[in-house]
Each structure stands twice: as structure tokens, then as C-alpha cells.
Amino acid sequence: MATARITTASRNRTFLKVSIALQAVSLFYQAVTAGLLLSTSYGELLHGVGARVMYAATLLYLIAAILAWRPGGGSPRPVLYASGFLVLASAQVVLGIAHEPALHVPLGVLMLGLNVLALGQVLTTRLSERPGRRS
């Protein structure tokens, strides 16, 4: 029974790492397509598609955080981070649709920076720690 719980916790932790990495890639893609938006005719299409992928990656991150927390017995902190990212992503979508680059661009930079911090935190956490235990 304990082995199954550890395996599930490890699997959920891996899912959390992959979802944060996917979100990081989608945010970096958004930064690249923001530059294309300014210089090419197809940049708006790529940035729009990337926005949908980024939002889906953020939802996936939230799901992964919930799975790592509840069934896995981990810390609720990633759920708070993922919820915050969902709020920021929603604000990004609204600001992008409203064509408010003065707020949209800095918020995108903030999101990319926060995502890199979250990814670094998850990747540097030792797997040998027991789920739900603080160090």
C-alpha cells in the first residue's frame, strides 16, 4: 500500500514537472511570436494560436498541481501558484483582446519570469523527500 502511494506521488510529481515545463515553452513561444507580430503579417495568427496553447498549458498545470496535492499528499503551495498563473493568464487574454500592449507585454514578461522560478523550484526539489513534508 505504501509503495503504491509513493509511486502515485512520484508519478503526479513528474506530471507537475512536465506541465510546468510545457507552460514555460508556451510562454517562450508567446515571446517569440510577439516579436513576429510586430514584423510579419502572420505573427498575429501565430500569437493567437500560442495564446490558446498557453492557456491550456496553464489549466494543465493547475490540474497537475491538484493531483500532486490531493491524492499524492503533497504541499498545497503548487495549487496556489497554479491558480495565480491562471488569474494572470486570464488577465493576459483580456489585455491582448483589448489591444493594451502597455499592460500586456510587462505582464507576459512577469509570467515568464515567475514560470521559470516555479520550474526551478519543482526541478530542484529532491524526490527523496516525503510528500507533504516541508524542509
Side-chain angles (χ1 to χ4, degrees), residues 86-133:
L86 186 60
V87 169
L88 292 175
S90 298
Q92 271 295 80
V93 169
V94 169
L95 291 169
I97 291 171
H99 299 288
E100 292 289 339
L103 298 172
H104 182 76
V105 172
L107 184 57
V109 172
L110 175 68
M111 285 181 68
L112 184 58
L114 290 174
N115 180 264
V116 168
L117 289 174
L119 182 61
Q121 183 180 19
V122 169
L123 291 178
T124 58
T125 303
R126 289 181 292 164
L127 290 176
S128 61
E129 293 179 357
R130 283 185 24 203
R133 207 168 181 201

Side-chain angles (χ1 to χ4, degrees), residues 18-90:
V18 169
S19 66
I20 294 176
L22 178 64
Q23 185 185 38
V25 169
S26 69
L27 286 167
F28 182 72
Y29 176 82
Q30 284 301 92
V32 170
T33 59
L36 290 174
L37 180 66
L38 299 173
S39 60
T40 65
S41 61
Y42 56 87
E44 185 175 359
L45 174 67
L46 293 176
H47 197 67
V49 169
R52 289 165 179 79
V53 172
M54 182 273 303
Y55 201 81
T58 302
L59 288 172
L60 184 70
Y61 174 30
L62 181 59
I63 291 167
I66 290 169
L67 289 175
W69 168 53
R70 277 315 263 186
S75 171
R77 187 172 290 167
V79 176
L80 295 174
Y81 293 159
S83 299
F85 271 111
L86 186 60
V87 169
L88 292 175
S90 298

